[in-house]
């Protein structure tokens, strides 16, 4: 399961890198910016999570939201690049078949983008700080009705170990 997730997470960044390496002229800067958006969000969201796990820490919601937002912006730019490429190079953009193929590619990428947003929303969670017996805790609402409590370590990270769990 993990290799499949890694493939779908890194495939857009790999495609953006291929576009950045192949694109000539001024468009090359935009292609590198798109690659940077995708790679940075993967590095912080994925790599940062692995590094924090070594210290029994995890990202809080604000960092996860920023990673998902930046990744989705990078995906949007990548989808526009693909749409422009297909509309210019398949049928010259003048034939009905070329236009329909361009729309099909755009719809396919939009469908994939929806699933990336869905997966990002499931990963994010929702947290807030609560004070219990003079101790600050991070309260995170789970996917269903569960509420988890973690140790507070700052505005960007929280403890990894669940201190308690409630179902409301």
């Amino acid at each position: 399961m993990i290799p499949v997730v890694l493939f779908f997470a890194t495939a857009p960044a790999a495609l953006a890198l291929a576009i950045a390496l192949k694109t000539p002229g001024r468009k090359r800067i935009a292609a590198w910016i798109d690659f940077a958006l995708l790679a940075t969000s993967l590095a912080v969201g994925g790599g940062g999570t692995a590094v924090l796990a070594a210290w029994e820490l995890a990202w809080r919601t604000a960092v996860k939201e920023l990673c998902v937002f930046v990744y989705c912006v990078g995906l949007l730019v990548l989808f526009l690049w693909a749409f422009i490429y297909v509309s210019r190079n398949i049928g010259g953009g003048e034939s009905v078949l070329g236009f329909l193929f361009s729309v099909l590619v755009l719809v396919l990428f939009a469908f994939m983008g929806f699933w990336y947003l869905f997966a990002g929303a499931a990963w994010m969670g929702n947290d807030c700080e609560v004070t219990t017996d003079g101790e600050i805790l991070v309260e995170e609402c789970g996917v269903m009705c569960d509420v988890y409590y973690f140790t507070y370590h700052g505005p960007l990270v929280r403890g990894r170990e669940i201190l308690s769990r409630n179902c409301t």
Side-chain angles (χ1 to χ4, degrees):
M1 179 68 180
I2 290 178
V4 172
V5 172
L6 286 175
F7 171 76
F8 281 108
T10 58
L15 181 59
L17 178 61
I19 291 171
L21 292 172
K22 196 166 178 121
T23 303
R26 290 181 151 173
K27 295 178 199 171
R28 184 177 217 142
I29 295 171
W32 278 108
I33 290 172
D34 186 37
F35 171 70
L37 288 171
L38 292 166
T40 302
S41 61
L42 284 175
V44 172
T49 299
V51 170
L52 287 174
W55 286 293
E56 295 296 320
L57 298 172
W59 290 122
R60 290 196 51 192
T61 299
V63 176
K64 293 177 186 180
E65 285 175 347
L66 185 62
C67 286
V68 170
F69 176 75
V70 168
Y71 193 80
C72 287
V73 168
L75 277 178
L76 179 64
V77 171
L78 188 64
F79 296 163
L80 290 174
W81 276 83
F83 178 74
I84 291 168
Y85 177 82
V86 168
S87 65
R88 287 184 181 168
N89 294 318
I90 306 295
E94 298 153 1
S95 70
V96 174
L97 183 63
F99 176 74
L100 290 176
F101 189 71
S102 300
V103 170
L104 177 68
V105 167
L106 191 61
V107 167
L108 177 68
F109 278 139
F111 179 73
M112 288 174 44
F114 167 77
W115 285 108
Y116 279 106
L117 281 173
F118 180 75
W123 176 62
M124 279 190 294
N126 184 15
D127 70 15
C128 64
E129 298 165 13
V130 294
T131 305
T132 313
D133 298 328
E135 184 181 6
I136 300 174
L137 300 175
V138 176
E139 178 184 76
E140 186 171 300
C141 297
V143 177
M144 299 300 275
C145 64
D146 294 332
V147 177
Y148 303 99
Y149 294 93
F150 302 93
T151 55
Y152 175 83
H153 287 276
L156 301 178
V157 294
R158 61 165 171 79
R160 190 170 185 81
E161 181 182 343
I162 298 173
L163 298 176
S164 67
R165 174 183 173 223
N166 293 335
C167 186
T168 54

